Amino acid sequence: MKTATKTTTRKTTTKKAPATTRSASVKAKSTAADGLKEFYIDCLKDIYWAEKALTKALPKMAKNASDKNLISVLEEHLSETEEQISRLERVFELVGKKAVAKKCEAMDGLIKEGQDIMESTEIGPVRDAGIIAASQKIEHYEIATYGTLCAFAKTLGYDDAAKILHETLEEEKGADLNLTERAYNNINFEATEEN
Ligand SMILES: [Fe+2]
Ligand SMILES: [Fe+2]
């Protein structure tokens, strides 16, 4: 009899677990992606919006920077970003879709954070450090995004698209490295520390 009672208890516990998981699930919208291909296209729309937004944000950051190395890193990355937009248009073509931008809330937030940092600092080395901090968060977001997009493209058999996306991924990594090595490591903070 004791054995029978134990078995009943175990069964009840097993049944409760999936019910809890279901109640925590997010309800999908009626427009939810149907399969990995559709989700991949959604992600492309997201980063397409992000890159376009960056073509407006980067010149603003360059105008607020004081260090000449930082200014040139930002300006060089602006022209890379313009090329990345054209690359994304080719990636859309390869999946048979027209390039469409969909607001990327994450990039919108990162750009706003950059704006807040500029408003919270005086022009000079500290603002430069803030611009680098904001830009590196942006680059890391892009690195994560292009890494994911490369993986999706490969999984879906879009090998040519994966190569194009990988090219951009390497550029984003390069921009991140330039921000540290060419810009941050050359900033002279001593002038502000004297004040
Ligand atoms: Fe980019
Ligand atoms: Fe970038």
Side-chain angles (χ1 to χ4, degrees):
M1 283 298 282
K2 273 180 186 174
T3 312
T5 313
K6 274 180 186 171
T7 310
T8 311
T9 312
R10 249 187 249 123
K11 272 185 182 171
T12 312
T13 311
T14 315
K15 274 180 188 170
K16 274 181 183 172
T20 310
T21 310
R22 273 198 303 275
S23 68
S25 298
V26 173
K27 195 177 182 303
K29 289 180 189 170
S30 57
T31 53
D34 183 19
L36 185 65
K37 184 178 167 183
E38 211 173 309
F39 184 54
Y40 167 67
I41 296 164
D42 278 353
C43 294
L44 287 174
K45 291 177 184 173
D46 207 73
I47 193 69
Y48 189 58
W49 185 95
E51 296 289 16
K52 286 190 162 212
L54 285 170
T55 60
K56 293 182 193 117
L58 283 166
K60 201 169 182 184
M61 290 199 273
K63 271 185 197 156
N64 277 276
S66 310
D67 180 78
K68 63 176 186 355
N69 292 315
L70 176 56
I71 296 169
S72 62
V73 167
L74 293 169
E75 286 175 349
E76 280 166 30
H77 198 49
L78 172 63
S79 36
E80 283 176 339
T81 300
E82 281 157 0
E83 177 57 30
Q84 290 169 1
I85 291 171
S86 311
R87 275 191 213 124
L88 280 171
E89 286 162 0
R90 295 208 295 278
V91 171
F92 271 106
E93 267 174 41
L94 288 166
V95 77
K97 295 281 174 186
K98 196 171 168 276
V100 175
K102 187 178 134 198
K103 188 177 179 185
C104 171
E105 298 293 347
M107 186 58 78
D108 189 47
L110 289 168
I111 290 171
K112 279 182 183 148
E113 189 177 299
Q115 176 69 26
D116 285 351
I117 287 172
M118 290 191 281
E119 287 168 15
S120 329
T121 50
E122 296 288 350
I123 196 148
V126 177
R127 185 176 290 181
D128 282 359
I131 290 171
I132 293 169
S135 304
Q136 288 193 301
K137 287 186 189 183
I138 289 169
E139 296 315 316
H140 282 236
Y141 177 80
E142 290 183 297
I143 291 166
T145 303
Y146 282 104
T148 299
L149 283 169
C150 273
F152 285 177
K154 279 183 201 157
T155 303
L156 292 163
Y158 295 111
D159 292 345
D160 289 344
K163 278 181 203 150
I164 295 170
L165 293 163
H166 189 262
E167 201 178 330
T168 299
L169 172 64
E170 291 304 312
E171 249 171 32
E172 307 295 16
K173 287 181 186 172
D176 180 51
L177 204 65
N178 282 337
L179 285 163
T180 305
E181 293 183 353
R182 280 173 51 200
Y184 188 78
N185 291 345
N186 281 304
I187 296 179
N188 178 10
F189 291 101
E190 282 169 26
T192 42
E193 295 310 317
E194 281 167 11
N195 293 333

